C-alpha cells in the first residue's frame, strides 16, 4: 500500500485527545493508507502467532452464521470483543442503555471459561489437578486469542495463582494476588495505568474486596443467594463509579 505518516490529532471539541491516548501506548505517529481498496495482502504470519490468527478467523466465521448480520456482529462483540463491524446506531443504543460493557471482553469471560473447564473435568470424573490445569491453560490462552488487554491479563494471572494455591494446599491473600496481577500488567507497559480498561478492571475488584462483606451484612435479612449477588453488583459498581464519572 501507499500511505502517509502523520502526527495524531490533538484535543478535540469533545475533549478526546488521540495524541495523548496513543502516547500512553508508546505510539507517536499514525500511518494512513490511501484507500482500503488499494491495500494488497502479501502474506500471513506463521508459527504460534499465525495459529492464533487462524483460530480467530475461524471463530469469526462461525459467529457469522447467525440469523442476521446485526446479531452476528453483536455475537462477535460479546464473545471476542470485536466491535469493528457493529452498526454505529446499535453501538449508540448499547451506550445509552449502559450495556456497552457487554461488548468488551473482560475478566468475566476468562473466569467463565475457566469455570467451564473445572465443571467439565468434574463431570467426567477426572482428577482435580486435571481440572486445574485445563482451567489455567484456558485462561492463559485467552490472552493471545483476544489480546493482552489489562482486564484479561489480570483475570488470567489471578486465576492461575488461586488455582495453583489450591492445588498445592496453600492459602491466599487476595490483595497480594491483585498486586501481583497489577505488576504483571504494568511491567511490560507502565503506561497501561492510564488505560481505562485497567482502571475499571482493578477498581471493580478493589470495590468487591472492600465492600462485599459490609453490603452483605446490611442485606442479611435476604436469602444468602440474593444478598451475595446484590453485594457483588453494588460493590463493583461503587468501585468503578469514580473512574466512570471521571
Amino acid at each position: 500500500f501507499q500511505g502517509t505518516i502523520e502526527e495524531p490529532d490533538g484535543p478535540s471539541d469533545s475533549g478526546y485527545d488521540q495524541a495523548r491516548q496513543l502516547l500512553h501506548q508508546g505510539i507517536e505517529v499514525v500511518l494512513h493508507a490511501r484507500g482500503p481498496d488499494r491495500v494488497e495482502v502479501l502474506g500471513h504470519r506463521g508459527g504460534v502467532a499465525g495459529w492464533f490468527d487462524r483460530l480467530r478467523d475461524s471463530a469469526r466465521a462461525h459467529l457469522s452464521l447467525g440469523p442476521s448480520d446485526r446479531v452476528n456482529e453483536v455475537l462477535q462483540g460479546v464473545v471476542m470483543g470485536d466491535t469493528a463491524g457493529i452498526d454505529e446506531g446499535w453501538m449508540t443504543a448499547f451506550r445509552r442503555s449502559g450495556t456497552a460493557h457487554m461488548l468488551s471482553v473482560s475478566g468475566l469471560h476468562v473466569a467463565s471459561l475457566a469455570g467451564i473447564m473445572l465443571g467439565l473435568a468434574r463431570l467426567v470424573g477426572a482428577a482435580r489437578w486435571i481440572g486445574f490445569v485445563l482451567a489455567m491453560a484456558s485462561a492463559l490462552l485467552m490472552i493471545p486469542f483476544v489480546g493482552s488487554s489489562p482486564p484479561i491479563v489480570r483475570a488470567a494471572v489471578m486465576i492461575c495463582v488461586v488455582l495453583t494455591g489450591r492445588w498445592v494446599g496453600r492459602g491466599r491473600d487476595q490483595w497480594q494476588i491483585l498486586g501481583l496481577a497489577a505488576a504483571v500488567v504494568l511491567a511490560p507497559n507502565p503506561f497501561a495505568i492510564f488505560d481505562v480498561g485497567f482502571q475499571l478492571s482493578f477498581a471493580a475488584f478493589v470495590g468487591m474486596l472492600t465492600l462485599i462483606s459490609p453490603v452483605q451484612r446490611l442485606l442479611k435479612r435476604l436469602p444468602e443467594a440474593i444478598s451475595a449477588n446484590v453485594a457483588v453488583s453494588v460493590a463493583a459498581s461503587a468501585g468503578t463509579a469514580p473512574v466512570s464519572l471521571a
Side-chain angles (χ1 to χ4, degrees):
F1 68 94
Q2 290 183 330
T4 55
I5 297 176
E6 302 174 4
E7 290 185 350
D9 296 330
S12 64
D13 294 337
S14 65
Y16 173 66
D17 189 340
Q18 184 192 44
R20 181 181 178 186
Q21 182 188 25
L22 292 179
L23 187 61
H24 290 162
Q25 302 173 43
I27 300 171
E28 296 188 13
V29 295
V30 293
L31 178 63
H32 290 285
R34 295 174 185 167
D37 55 329
R38 297 173 63 182
V39 176
E40 179 183 356
V41 178
L42 300 180
H44 301 276
R45 292 191 294 183
V48 176
W51 183 84
F52 277 104
D53 290 342
R54 293 190 295 273
L55 183 63
R56 279 191 293 272
D57 290 341
S58 176
R60 289 192 184 94
H62 281 81
L63 292 170
S64 298
L65 301 176
S68 69
D69 290 341
R70 290 289 175 264
V71 173
N72 300 344
E73 293 162 2
V74 172
L75 281 174
Q76 292 184 33
V78 172
V79 176
M80 303 178 64
D82 184 0
T83 61
I86 297 180
D87 178 74
E88 186 57 37
W90 277 49
M91 281 300 302
T92 301
F94 274 110
R95 294 189 187 104
R96 288 177 175 173
S97 64
T99 55
H101 63 276
M102 289 174 22
L103 306 175
S104 174
V105 178
S106 65
L108 181 61
H109 289 71
V110 183
S112 298
L113 184 59
I116 290 172
M117 293 295 105
L118 291 171
L120 288 175
R122 191 179 300 114
L123 188 64
V124 300
R128 190 175 70 154
W129 69 268
I130 294 178
F132 288 172
V133 170
L134 290 175
M136 288 189 284
S138 64
L140 292 174
L141 287 174
M142 281 289 286
I143 297 175
F145 178 62
V146 299
S148 56
S149 64
I152 300 297
V153 177
R154 176 195 61 77
V157 170
M158 296 185 73
I159 286 171
C160 289
V161 173
V162 169
L163 290 180
T164 301
R166 291 183 60 186
W167 188 355
V168 300
R170 293 289 298 275
R172 63 187 186 276
D173 180 277
Q174 292 179 312
W175 288 104
Q176 290 183 3
I177 297 173
L178 186 65
L180 173 62
V184 171
V185 172
L186 296 174
N189 179 21
F191 283 118
I193 197 169
F194 296 105
D195 184 90
V196 176
F198 175 93
Q199 296 170 6
L200 288 173
S201 179
F202 282 84
F205 211 86
V206 168
M208 289 188 287
L209 286 181
T210 55
L211 297 176
I212 284 180
S213 295
V215 173
Q216 271 195 285
R217 285 196 292 269
L218 292 174
L219 304 174
K220 60 183 178 182
R221 294 185 178 181
L222 297 176
E224 185 177 355
I226 296 177
S227 65
N229 281 287
V230 171
V232 169
S233 182
V234 170
S237 298
T240 56
V243 180
S244 299
L245 290 172

